[in-house]
Short mmCIF file of all heavy atoms in Angstrom, two decimals:
data_model
loop_
_atom_site.label_atom_id
_atom_site.label_comp_id
_atom_site.label_asym_id
_atom_site.label_seq_id
_atom_site.Cartn_x
_atom_site.Cartn_y
_atom_site.Cartn_z
N VAL C 478 -11.33 -14.54 -11.84
CA VAL C 478 -10.89 -14.67 -13.24
C VAL C 478 -9.39 -14.94 -13.33
O VAL C 478 -8.96 -15.91 -13.96
CB VAL C 478 -11.27 -13.40 -14.05
CG1 VAL C 478 -10.69 -13.48 -15.46
CG2 VAL C 478 -12.78 -13.23 -14.09
N VAL C 479 -8.59 -14.08 -12.70
CA VAL C 479 -7.13 -14.23 -12.82
C VAL C 479 -6.68 -15.57 -12.22
O VAL C 479 -5.89 -16.29 -12.81
CB VAL C 479 -6.38 -13.05 -12.16
CG1 VAL C 479 -4.88 -13.27 -12.21
CG2 VAL C 479 -6.76 -11.74 -12.84
N HIS C 480 -7.24 -15.90 -11.06
CA HIS C 480 -6.82 -17.14 -10.42
C HIS C 480 -7.26 -18.36 -11.23
O HIS C 480 -6.51 -19.33 -11.39
CB HIS C 480 -7.34 -17.23 -8.99
CG HIS C 480 -6.61 -18.28 -8.20
ND1 HIS C 480 -7.01 -19.59 -8.18
CD2 HIS C 480 -5.48 -18.21 -7.45
CE1 HIS C 480 -6.17 -20.29 -7.43
NE2 HIS C 480 -5.24 -19.48 -6.98
N ALA C 481 -8.47 -18.33 -11.76
CA ALA C 481 -8.97 -19.48 -12.54
C ALA C 481 -8.08 -19.73 -13.75
O ALA C 481 -7.78 -20.87 -14.09
CB ALA C 481 -10.41 -19.24 -12.97
N ILE C 482 -7.65 -18.67 -14.40
CA ILE C 482 -6.84 -18.82 -15.61
C ILE C 482 -5.42 -19.26 -15.28
O ILE C 482 -4.88 -20.18 -15.88
CB ILE C 482 -6.84 -17.50 -16.41
CG1 ILE C 482 -8.21 -17.29 -17.04
CG2 ILE C 482 -5.73 -17.49 -17.47
CD1 ILE C 482 -8.38 -16.00 -17.79
N MET C 483 -4.80 -18.60 -14.29
CA MET C 483 -3.39 -18.87 -14.01
C MET C 483 -3.17 -20.09 -13.13
O MET C 483 -2.06 -20.61 -13.06
CB MET C 483 -2.73 -17.66 -13.34
CG MET C 483 -2.72 -16.41 -14.20
SD MET C 483 -1.89 -15.04 -13.37
CE MET C 483 -0.26 -15.09 -14.09
N SER C 484 -4.21 -20.52 -12.42
CA SER C 484 -4.01 -21.66 -11.54
C SER C 484 -5.21 -22.60 -11.58
O SER C 484 -5.12 -23.69 -12.10
CB SER C 484 -3.73 -21.19 -10.11
OG SER C 484 -3.51 -22.28 -9.27
N GLY C 485 -6.33 -22.17 -11.05
CA GLY C 485 -7.56 -22.98 -10.94
C GLY C 485 -7.76 -24.06 -11.99
O GLY C 485 -7.08 -25.08 -11.99
N ASN C 486 -8.72 -23.86 -12.87
CA ASN C 486 -8.94 -24.86 -13.92
C ASN C 486 -8.06 -24.58 -15.11
O ASN C 486 -8.11 -25.29 -16.09
CB ASN C 486 -10.36 -24.80 -14.50
CG ASN C 486 -11.38 -24.43 -13.49
OD1 ASN C 486 -11.34 -24.93 -12.40
ND2 ASN C 486 -12.30 -23.56 -13.84
N GLY C 487 -7.33 -23.49 -15.04
CA GLY C 487 -6.59 -23.06 -16.21
C GLY C 487 -5.36 -23.87 -16.47
O GLY C 487 -5.41 -24.87 -17.18
N ASN C 488 -4.24 -23.48 -15.89
CA ASN C 488 -2.96 -23.96 -16.43
C ASN C 488 -2.78 -25.47 -16.49
O ASN C 488 -2.16 -25.97 -17.41
CB ASN C 488 -1.78 -23.25 -15.77
CG ASN C 488 -1.68 -23.52 -14.30
OD1 ASN C 488 -2.59 -24.09 -13.71
ND2 ASN C 488 -0.58 -23.12 -13.69
N GLN C 489 -3.37 -26.22 -15.54
CA GLN C 489 -3.14 -27.67 -15.62
C GLN C 489 -3.87 -28.31 -16.80
O GLN C 489 -3.54 -29.40 -17.22
CB GLN C 489 -3.54 -28.39 -14.32
CG GLN C 489 -4.83 -27.97 -13.71
CD GLN C 489 -4.59 -26.83 -12.74
OE1 GLN C 489 -4.12 -25.78 -13.11
NE2 GLN C 489 -4.90 -27.06 -11.50
N LEU C 490 -4.88 -27.60 -17.32
CA LEU C 490 -5.67 -28.18 -18.41
C LEU C 490 -5.30 -27.60 -19.76
O LEU C 490 -5.82 -28.02 -20.79
CB LEU C 490 -7.17 -27.96 -18.15
CG LEU C 490 -7.70 -28.41 -16.79
CD1 LEU C 490 -9.21 -28.36 -16.78
CD2 LEU C 490 -7.23 -29.82 -16.47
N ASP C 491 -4.45 -26.59 -19.79
CA ASP C 491 -4.03 -26.05 -21.08
C ASP C 491 -2.52 -25.79 -21.13
O ASP C 491 -1.77 -26.64 -21.59
CB ASP C 491 -4.87 -24.83 -21.52
CG ASP C 491 -5.05 -23.77 -20.43
OD1 ASP C 491 -4.06 -23.39 -19.78
OD2 ASP C 491 -6.19 -23.28 -20.25
N ILE C 492 -2.04 -24.70 -20.55
CA ILE C 492 -0.63 -24.35 -20.77
C ILE C 492 0.33 -25.34 -20.10
O ILE C 492 1.45 -25.51 -20.56
CB ILE C 492 -0.34 -22.89 -20.36
CG1 ILE C 492 1.05 -22.45 -20.80
CG2 ILE C 492 -0.49 -22.70 -18.85
CD1 ILE C 492 1.29 -22.45 -22.28
N MET C 493 -0.08 -25.99 -19.00
CA MET C 493 0.82 -26.98 -18.40
C MET C 493 0.34 -28.41 -18.65
O MET C 493 0.69 -29.33 -17.91
CB MET C 493 0.99 -26.71 -16.90
CG MET C 493 1.88 -25.51 -16.57
SD MET C 493 3.49 -25.45 -17.45
CE MET C 493 4.29 -26.93 -16.83
N ALA C 494 -0.47 -28.60 -19.69
CA ALA C 494 -0.93 -29.96 -20.02
C ALA C 494 0.02 -30.60 -21.02
O ALA C 494 0.51 -29.94 -21.94
CB ALA C 494 -2.35 -29.89 -20.59
N LEU C 495 0.26 -31.88 -20.84
CA LEU C 495 1.03 -32.66 -21.81
C LEU C 495 0.13 -33.04 -22.97
O LEU C 495 -1.08 -33.12 -22.78
CB LEU C 495 1.58 -33.92 -21.13
CG LEU C 495 2.70 -33.65 -20.12
CD1 LEU C 495 2.79 -34.79 -19.11
CD2 LEU C 495 4.02 -33.46 -20.87
N PRO C 496 0.65 -33.27 -24.17
CA PRO C 496 2.07 -33.22 -24.49
C PRO C 496 2.55 -31.84 -24.93
O PRO C 496 3.74 -31.68 -25.18
CB PRO C 496 2.18 -34.18 -25.67
CG PRO C 496 0.87 -33.99 -26.38
CD PRO C 496 -0.16 -33.75 -25.30
N PHE C 497 1.68 -30.85 -25.03
CA PHE C 497 2.07 -29.60 -25.69
C PHE C 497 2.98 -28.73 -24.83
O PHE C 497 3.59 -27.78 -25.32
CB PHE C 497 0.83 -28.83 -26.13
CG PHE C 497 1.11 -27.75 -27.14
CD1 PHE C 497 2.13 -27.88 -28.06
CD2 PHE C 497 0.34 -26.60 -27.16
CE1 PHE C 497 2.39 -26.88 -29.00
CE2 PHE C 497 0.58 -25.60 -28.09
CZ PHE C 497 1.61 -25.75 -29.02
N THR C 498 3.04 -29.01 -23.52
CA THR C 498 4.04 -28.32 -22.69
C THR C 498 4.71 -29.34 -21.79
O THR C 498 4.02 -30.04 -21.04
CB THR C 498 3.40 -27.24 -21.81
OG1 THR C 498 2.68 -26.34 -22.63
CG2 THR C 498 4.48 -26.47 -21.05
N ALA C 499 6.03 -29.44 -21.88
CA ALA C 499 6.79 -30.19 -20.89
C ALA C 499 7.39 -29.12 -19.98
O ALA C 499 7.91 -28.11 -20.47
CB ALA C 499 7.89 -30.99 -21.56
N ALA C 500 7.32 -29.32 -18.65
CA ALA C 500 7.82 -28.31 -17.72
C ALA C 500 9.26 -27.93 -18.06
O ALA C 500 9.66 -26.78 -17.95
CB ALA C 500 7.72 -28.81 -16.29
N GLY C 501 10.03 -28.91 -18.48
CA GLY C 501 11.42 -28.67 -18.90
C GLY C 501 11.83 -29.79 -19.84
O GLY C 501 11.14 -30.81 -19.95
N TRP C 502 12.96 -29.60 -20.52
CA TRP C 502 13.43 -30.61 -21.47
C TRP C 502 14.46 -31.53 -20.81
O TRP C 502 15.20 -31.10 -19.93
CB TRP C 502 14.08 -29.94 -22.68
CG TRP C 502 13.15 -29.13 -23.54
CD1 TRP C 502 13.28 -27.80 -23.84
CD2 TRP C 502 11.99 -29.59 -24.24
NE1 TRP C 502 12.26 -27.41 -24.69
CE2 TRP C 502 11.46 -28.49 -24.95
CE3 TRP C 502 11.35 -30.83 -24.35
CZ2 TRP C 502 10.32 -28.58 -25.75
CZ3 TRP C 502 10.21 -30.93 -25.14
CH2 TRP C 502 9.71 -29.81 -25.83
N GLN C 503 14.52 -32.76 -21.31
CA GLN C 503 15.46 -33.74 -20.77
C GLN C 503 16.79 -33.75 -21.54
O GLN C 503 17.72 -34.46 -21.16
CB GLN C 503 14.83 -35.14 -20.75
CG GLN C 503 13.61 -35.24 -19.85
CD GLN C 503 13.89 -34.80 -18.43
OE1 GLN C 503 14.76 -35.35 -17.76
NE2 GLN C 503 13.19 -33.77 -17.96
N SER C 504 16.89 -33.00 -22.64
CA SER C 504 18.14 -32.86 -23.38
C SER C 504 18.36 -31.37 -23.64
O SER C 504 17.41 -30.59 -23.63
CB SER C 504 18.07 -33.60 -24.72
OG SER C 504 17.95 -34.98 -24.51
N PRO C 505 19.61 -30.98 -23.90
CA PRO C 505 19.91 -29.54 -24.04
C PRO C 505 19.23 -28.89 -25.25
O PRO C 505 18.87 -29.57 -26.21
CB PRO C 505 21.43 -29.51 -24.22
CG PRO C 505 21.93 -30.83 -23.77
CD PRO C 505 20.82 -31.81 -23.97
N ILE C 506 19.11 -27.56 -25.19
CA ILE C 506 18.61 -26.78 -26.32
C ILE C 506 19.68 -26.85 -27.42
O ILE C 506 20.85 -26.55 -27.17
CB ILE C 506 18.41 -25.29 -25.91
CG1 ILE C 506 17.52 -25.17 -24.67
CG2 ILE C 506 17.87 -24.46 -27.07
CD1 ILE C 506 16.08 -25.54 -24.84
N PRO C 507 19.32 -27.26 -28.63
CA PRO C 507 20.32 -27.42 -29.71
C PRO C 507 21.05 -26.12 -30.03
O PRO C 507 20.52 -25.03 -29.84
CB PRO C 507 19.48 -27.87 -30.91
CG PRO C 507 18.22 -28.42 -30.32
CD PRO C 507 17.97 -27.64 -29.07
N THR C 508 22.28 -26.30 -30.54
CA THR C 508 23.08 -25.14 -30.94
C THR C 508 22.99 -24.91 -32.44
O THR C 508 23.51 -23.93 -32.95
CB THR C 508 24.56 -25.34 -30.57
OG1 THR C 508 24.99 -26.59 -31.10
CG2 THR C 508 24.74 -25.35 -29.06
N LYS C 509 22.38 -25.85 -33.16
CA LYS C 509 22.18 -25.62 -34.60
C LYS C 509 20.86 -26.23 -35.06
O LYS C 509 20.24 -27.02 -34.34
CB LYS C 509 23.36 -26.19 -35.40
CG LYS C 509 23.65 -27.68 -35.17
CD LYS C 509 24.88 -28.06 -36.02
CE LYS C 509 25.01 -29.54 -36.26
NZ LYS C 509 25.24 -30.39 -35.11
N LYS C 510 20.46 -25.83 -36.26
CA LYS C 510 19.18 -26.30 -36.82
C LYS C 510 19.34 -27.71 -37.38
O LYS C 510 20.44 -28.14 -37.73
CB LYS C 510 18.74 -25.37 -37.95
CG LYS C 510 18.24 -24.00 -37.51
CD LYS C 510 16.80 -24.06 -37.03
CE LYS C 510 16.24 -22.67 -36.80
NZ LYS C 510 15.73 -22.04 -37.98
N GLY C 511 18.23 -28.38 -37.52
CA GLY C 511 18.20 -29.67 -38.22
C GLY C 511 18.48 -30.88 -37.35
O GLY C 511 18.62 -31.99 -37.86
N VAL C 512 18.59 -30.67 -36.03
CA VAL C 512 18.95 -31.81 -35.18
C VAL C 512 17.74 -32.47 -34.50
O VAL C 512 17.83 -33.61 -34.05
CB VAL C 512 19.99 -31.42 -34.10
CG1 VAL C 512 21.31 -31.07 -34.75
CG2 VAL C 512 19.49 -30.29 -33.25
N ILE C 513 16.62 -31.75 -34.44
CA ILE C 513 15.47 -32.34 -33.75
C ILE C 513 14.58 -33.05 -34.77
O ILE C 513 13.61 -32.49 -35.28
CB ILE C 513 14.67 -31.27 -32.95
CG1 ILE C 513 15.61 -30.48 -32.04
CG2 ILE C 513 13.57 -31.94 -32.14
CD1 ILE C 513 14.95 -29.37 -31.27
N THR C 514 14.93 -34.28 -35.05
CA THR C 514 14.11 -35.03 -36.00
C THR C 514 13.07 -35.85 -35.23
O THR C 514 12.02 -36.17 -35.77
CB THR C 514 14.97 -35.97 -36.87
OG1 THR C 514 15.84 -36.70 -35.99
CG2 THR C 514 15.82 -35.16 -37.84
N ASP C 515 13.35 -36.16 -33.96
CA ASP C 515 12.36 -36.82 -33.11
C ASP C 515 12.40 -36.18 -31.73
O ASP C 515 13.33 -36.35 -30.96
CB ASP C 515 12.66 -38.32 -33.01
CG ASP C 515 11.58 -39.03 -32.20
OD1 ASP C 515 10.64 -38.35 -31.71
OD2 ASP C 515 11.67 -40.26 -32.05
N ILE C 516 11.34 -35.44 -31.44
CA ILE C 516 11.28 -34.64 -30.21
C ILE C 516 11.26 -35.53 -28.95
O ILE C 516 11.53 -35.05 -27.84
CB ILE C 516 10.04 -33.72 -30.27
CG1 ILE C 516 10.20 -32.54 -29.32
CG2 ILE C 516 8.77 -34.51 -29.98
CD1 ILE C 516 9.15 -31.47 -29.51
N MET C 517 10.98 -36.82 -29.12
CA MET C 517 10.86 -37.70 -27.95
C MET C 517 12.12 -37.75 -27.09
O MET C 517 12.04 -37.98 -25.89
CB MET C 517 10.46 -39.12 -28.38
CG MET C 517 9.03 -39.21 -28.91
SD MET C 517 7.81 -38.60 -27.72
CE MET C 517 7.89 -39.88 -26.47
N GLU C 518 13.27 -37.51 -27.70
CA GLU C 518 14.52 -37.50 -26.95
C GLU C 518 14.52 -36.41 -25.87
O GLU C 518 15.26 -36.47 -24.89
CB GLU C 518 15.66 -37.25 -27.95
CG GLU C 518 17.04 -37.59 -27.43
CD GLU C 518 18.12 -37.17 -28.44
OE1 GLU C 518 17.94 -37.45 -29.64
OE2 GLU C 518 19.09 -36.51 -28.01
N TRP C 519 13.71 -35.38 -26.06
CA TRP C 519 13.67 -34.25 -25.13
C TRP C 519 12.55 -34.41 -24.09
O TRP C 519 12.52 -33.72 -23.10
CB TRP C 519 13.46 -32.94 -25.92
CG TRP C 519 14.73 -32.41 -26.49
CD1 TRP C 519 15.51 -31.42 -25.98
CD2 TRP C 519 15.37 -32.83 -27.71
NE1 TRP C 519 16.60 -31.20 -26.78
CE2 TRP C 519 16.55 -32.05 -27.85
CE3 TRP C 519 15.10 -33.79 -28.69
CZ2 TRP C 519 17.42 -32.19 -28.93
CZ3 TRP C 519 15.96 -33.94 -29.77
CH2 TRP C 519 17.12 -33.15 -29.88
N MET C 520 11.61 -35.32 -24.40
CA MET C 520 10.38 -35.39 -23.61
C MET C 520 10.54 -36.16 -22.30
O MET C 520 11.41 -37.02 -22.19
CB MET C 520 9.27 -36.05 -24.44
CG MET C 520 8.73 -35.17 -25.55
SD MET C 520 7.87 -33.69 -24.95
CE MET C 520 6.34 -34.40 -24.30
N PRO C 521 9.69 -35.86 -21.31
CA PRO C 521 9.77 -36.58 -20.02
C PRO C 521 9.36 -38.05 -20.14
O PRO C 521 8.54 -38.41 -20.99
CB PRO C 521 8.79 -35.81 -19.13
CG PRO C 521 7.88 -35.07 -20.03
CD PRO C 521 8.65 -34.81 -21.28
N THR C 522 9.94 -38.86 -19.26
CA THR C 522 9.59 -40.28 -19.14
C THR C 522 8.23 -40.40 -18.45
O THR C 522 7.67 -39.39 -17.99
CB THR C 522 10.63 -40.97 -18.23
OG1 THR C 522 10.59 -40.29 -16.96
CG2 THR C 522 12.03 -40.91 -18.82
N PRO C 523 7.71 -41.61 -18.30
CA PRO C 523 6.43 -41.77 -17.59
C PRO C 523 6.47 -41.15 -16.19
O PRO C 523 5.49 -40.51 -15.78
CB PRO C 523 6.27 -43.29 -17.53
CG PRO C 523 6.98 -43.80 -18.74
CD PRO C 523 8.16 -42.87 -18.93
N GLU C 524 7.61 -41.30 -15.49
CA GLU C 524 7.70 -40.71 -14.14
C GLU C 524 7.61 -39.18 -14.22
O GLU C 524 6.94 -38.54 -13.40
CB GLU C 524 9.01 -41.10 -13.44
CG GLU C 524 9.13 -42.56 -13.04
CD GLU C 524 9.48 -43.48 -14.22
OE1 GLU C 524 9.79 -42.97 -15.33
OE2 GLU C 524 9.44 -44.70 -14.04
N GLY C 525 8.31 -38.62 -15.20
CA GLY C 525 8.31 -37.17 -15.36
C GLY C 525 6.95 -36.65 -15.77
O GLY C 525 6.49 -35.60 -15.29
N ALA C 526 6.28 -37.38 -16.63
CA ALA C 526 4.95 -36.96 -17.07
C ALA C 526 3.98 -37.00 -15.90
O ALA C 526 3.19 -36.07 -15.69
CB ALA C 526 4.48 -37.87 -18.20
N ALA C 527 4.05 -38.08 -15.11
CA ALA C 527 3.15 -38.20 -13.97
C ALA C 527 3.47 -37.13 -12.93
O ALA C 527 2.56 -36.57 -12.30
CB ALA C 527 3.27 -39.60 -13.35
N TRP C 528 4.75 -36.81 -12.76
CA TRP C 528 5.13 -35.73 -11.83
C TRP C 528 4.46 -34.42 -12.25
O TRP C 528 3.91 -33.68 -11.43
CB TRP C 528 6.65 -35.53 -11.80
CG TRP C 528 7.02 -34.22 -11.15
CD1 TRP C 528 7.17 -33.99 -9.81
CD2 TRP C 528 7.21 -32.96 -11.81
NE1 TRP C 528 7.45 -32.65 -9.59
CE2 TRP C 528 7.47 -32.00 -10.81
CE3 TRP C 528 7.18 -32.54 -13.15
CZ2 TRP C 528 7.72 -30.65 -11.10
CZ3 TRP C 528 7.41 -31.20 -13.44
CH2 TRP C 528 7.68 -30.28 -12.43
N GLN C 529 4.51 -34.15 -13.55
CA GLN C 529 3.94 -32.88 -14.04
C GLN C 529 2.42 -32.82 -13.80
O GLN C 529 1.90 -31.83 -13.31
CB GLN C 529 4.25 -32.69 -15.52
CG GLN C 529 3.74 -31.35 -16.05
CD GLN C 529 4.30 -31.02 -17.44
OE1 GLN C 529 5.47 -31.25 -17.71
NE2 GLN C 529 3.45 -30.49 -18.31
N VAL C 530 1.74 -33.91 -14.13
CA VAL C 530 0.28 -33.92 -13.91
C VAL C 530 0.00 -33.76 -12.41
O VAL C 530 -0.86 -32.97 -12.01
CB VAL C 530 -0.37 -35.21 -14.45
CG1 VAL C 530 -1.87 -35.21 -14.18
CG2 VAL C 530 -0.11 -35.34 -15.95
#
Side-chain angles (χ1 to χ4, degrees):
V478 174
V479 176
H480 197 273
I482 288 177
M483 297 182 99
S484 181
N486 326 317
N488 63 350
Q489 44 270 61
L490 307 190
D491 48 47
I492 190 62
M493 286 312 297
L495 289 157
F497 196 32
T498 305
W502 295 122
Q503 297 305 301
S504 295
I506 306 292
T508 53
K509 56 182 199 295
K510 288 280 189 84
V512 293
I513 308 177
T514 49
D515 184 358
I516 202 169
M517 290 304 290
E518 196 186 314
W519 278 261
M520 288 295 287
T522 58
E524 291 78 9
W528 165 84
Q529 183 168 319
V530 179

